[in-house]
């Protein structure tokens, strides 16, 4: 099976998952044109773990289909994503830079992330996390972030306004970088002169 076909099947599964995740015990209301009326996707504080792990599983399914290593959630990248989502809402624009001029790298460092940030995806929408992931996968630049071969860590968070608008942020990063000793700091021990 080709990569395109596999990717289509994964995206179709993600879309189906989004629809089933959004349908609770309430029935959809039908508009005058016979189509279902849009419903606001409301997120409560108790949904955080479910949403983050649903996104993680979906991203890893896409990465596996592309022959890439999985990523894991990183608490520092989650914190950086949450901060930026709230800030985008305050700025009222989807924007990679913070209101203080900070970049994704700056925000990750402030949150204590020790790896290298390989990319950030953002979105302003009323869509679920899975619908947002599908939209990101349909754009070459955001798909590249999700499928970056160097990525091993993921941060994902959001801010939801009272009317339901969502500001989504996903950060992808490497494992923590271990500093190797440099030759300049290496000082060989010299035996003491015993003469």
């Amino acid at each position: 099976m080709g990569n395109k076909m596999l990717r289509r099947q994964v995206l179709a599964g993600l879309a189906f998952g989004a629809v089933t995740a959004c349908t609770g015990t309430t029935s959809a209301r039908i508009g005058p044109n016979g189509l279902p009326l849009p419903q606001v996707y409301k997120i409560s504080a108790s949904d955080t773990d479910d949403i983050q792990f649903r996104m993680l599983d979906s991203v890893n399914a896409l990465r596996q289909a592309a022959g890439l290593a999985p990523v894991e959630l990183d608490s520092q990248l989650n914190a950086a994503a949450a901060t930026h989502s709230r800030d985008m809402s305050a700025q009222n624009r989807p924007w990679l830079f913070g209101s203080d001029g900070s970049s994704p790298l700056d925000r990750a460092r402030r949150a204590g992330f020790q790896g290298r940030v390989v990319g950030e995806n953002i979105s302003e929408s009323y869509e679920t996390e899975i619908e947002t992931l599908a939209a990101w996968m349909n754009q070459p630049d955001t798909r590249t972030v999700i499928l970056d071969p160097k990525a091993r860590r993921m941060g994902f968070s959001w801010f939801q306004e009272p009317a339901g608008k969502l500001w989504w942020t996903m950060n992808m990063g490497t494992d923590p970088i271990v500093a190797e000793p440099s030759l300049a700091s290496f000082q060989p021990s010299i035996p003491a002169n015993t003469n």
Side-chain angles (χ1 to χ4, degrees):
M1 181 181 310
N3 280 342
K4 275 189 166 179
M5 180 62 98
L6 186 56
R7 184 169 47 210
R8 285 186 185 142
Q9 288 178 338
V10 170
L11 286 174
L14 291 173
F16 176 76
V19 170
T20 57
C22 293
T23 58
T25 57
T26 62
S27 60
R29 297 180 327 182
I30 303 297
N33 59 0
L35 297 174
L37 294 172
Q39 296 181 357
V40 174
Y41 180 56
K42 287 299 238 179
I43 299 174
S44 70
S46 64
D47 296 329
T48 300
D49 287 346
D50 289 342
I51 290 171
Q52 285 180 326
F53 283 104
R54 189 165 38 246
M55 180 60 89
L56 177 68
D57 290 344
S58 299
V59 165
N60 280 334
L62 291 166
R63 289 178 63 84
Q64 181 180 18
L68 299 170
V71 293
E72 61 184 63
L73 280 175
D74 184 279
S75 60
Q76 286 96 10
L77 287 178
N78 285 343
T83 298
H84 190 54
S85 293
R86 182 175 291 277
D87 188 51
M88 285 190 298
S89 173
Q91 294 183 67
N92 196 32
R93 64 179 174 172
W95 178 245
L96 291 173
F97 293 95
S99 56
D100 61 356
S102 62
S103 69
L105 175 62
D106 296 329
R107 292 187 293 275
R109 290 284 177 254
R110 286 182 200 160
F113 183 63
Q114 298 296 310
R116 189 169 64 81
V117 174
V118 297
E120 180 176 78
N121 289 339
I122 56 172
S123 178
E124 168 195 17
S125 73
Y126 289 88
E127 297 176 332
T128 69
E129 67 280 1
I130 302 302
E131 290 168 322
T132 300
L133 177 60
W136 284 337
M137 287 299 291
N138 282 325
Q139 297 298 317
D141 56 339
T142 51
R143 180 176 52 246
T144 299
V145 171
I146 295 165
L147 299 180
D148 191 308
K150 297 177 294 298
R152 295 293 181 273
R153 305 290 176 113
M154 181 182 89
F156 181 69
S157 196
W158 59 90
F159 177 77
Q160 186 166 39
E161 295 178 354
K165 183 190 286 186
L166 285 154
W167 300 86
W168 300 103
T169 304
M170 171 190 282
N171 294 314
M172 299 296 266
T174 66
D175 279 331
I177 297 169
V178 178
E180 296 190 22
S182 68
L183 291 177
S185 65
F186 177 72
Q187 295 184 10
S189 60
I190 300 171
N193 190 352
T194 55
N195 289 341

